[in-house]
Amino acid sequence: MNKLFLTAAMMFSLGTAQASSTVSFILGADDYADIFISTDDTVQGSLIGSTTFFGGPLQTITASLTSGVKNYIHILVQNYGGPDGISGEFSLSSPTFEFSNGTQFLSTTPSTVNLSATGFGMDYQTPVSFGAMILFGAYYSDQYQFPLITESISGVGGPSYFSIPIYAVAAVPEPESVALLLAGLGVLGPVIRRRHKTAA
């Protein structure tokens, strides 16, 4: 009987197993940024990439999210003269997570990105918008087909600490998983009754 229950448990496990959720994005920074993923807004987190607006074509960066908890994208920007800022588009692979706008897609705007001049998780203020890539002109969009999206900046100088929260959403069991479990239990029922009769 233990083998039968183990088989049913394995069937249910296979039915509910899901690929890890990820966040993917393209991001540019003036002049330079390191990007981290964290589950604590006060902790910098693990480095997942670096980016610049003037070092060649922008690449898509993808990182795994820790399931069931709030995640944060942390962006540490350095500028060596003039205003520093970021511009990017972010998407989530799974509805088990969402951005502050309640969707799986986000672009950098003053209302979607937290900014601090002192560190992650502290003294947040609202970034200033430069509009559609005004800070970097048409150079990047012409050369590398970077989308014209709203630019959020910190002001003058750096470093600047940008934080984007990613919220965990309660998962709803998939209908296939429930059906698979019921089917497994349906198979076990007659077998268990047959064994009870034999024992009697």
Side-chain angles (χ1 to χ4, degrees), residues 34-185:
D34 285 325
I35 308 155
F36 308 86
I37 193 81
S38 180
T39 56
D40 184 339
D41 201 22
T42 63
V43 176
Q44 183 168 274
S46 303
L47 182 68
I48 58 174
S50 300
T51 189
T52 175
F53 261 100
F54 304 108
L58 296 176
Q59 303 296 318
T60 299
I61 298 172
T62 300
S64 296
L65 299 172
T66 302
S67 61
V69 298
K70 196 174 181 181
N71 287 248
Y72 298 87
I73 299 171
H74 283 161
I75 306 163
L76 175 56
V77 180
Q78 297 279 1
N79 190 292
Y80 307 103
D84 53 327
I86 58 172
S87 187
E89 291 186 340
F90 303 77
S91 62
L92 299 168
S93 67
S94 166
T96 57
F97 286 96
E98 64 184 24
F99 293 111
S100 59
N101 60 10
T103 74
Q104 281 74 50
F105 179 82
L106 177 141
S107 60
T108 49
T109 67
S111 64
T112 59
V113 181
N114 295 316
L115 164 68
S116 174
T118 55
F120 295 115
M122 61 183 73
D123 303 322
Y124 281 139
Q125 56 188 279
T126 302
V128 177
S129 174
F130 258 145
M133 297 289 286
I134 294 174
L135 179 61
F136 306 103
Y139 171 76
Y140 236 88
S141 61
D142 288 347
Q143 295 295 316
Y144 303 120
Q145 291 76 53
F146 193 68
L148 293 177
I149 56 181
T150 301
E151 169 71 13
S152 298
I153 69 161
S154 67
V156 178
S160 294
Y161 302 83
F162 293 93
S163 177
I164 300 174
I166 303 173
Y167 299 87
V169 179
V172 178
E174 297 180 7
E176 303 86 24
S177 302
V178 176
L180 191 58
L181 175 62
L182 293 176
L185 293 175

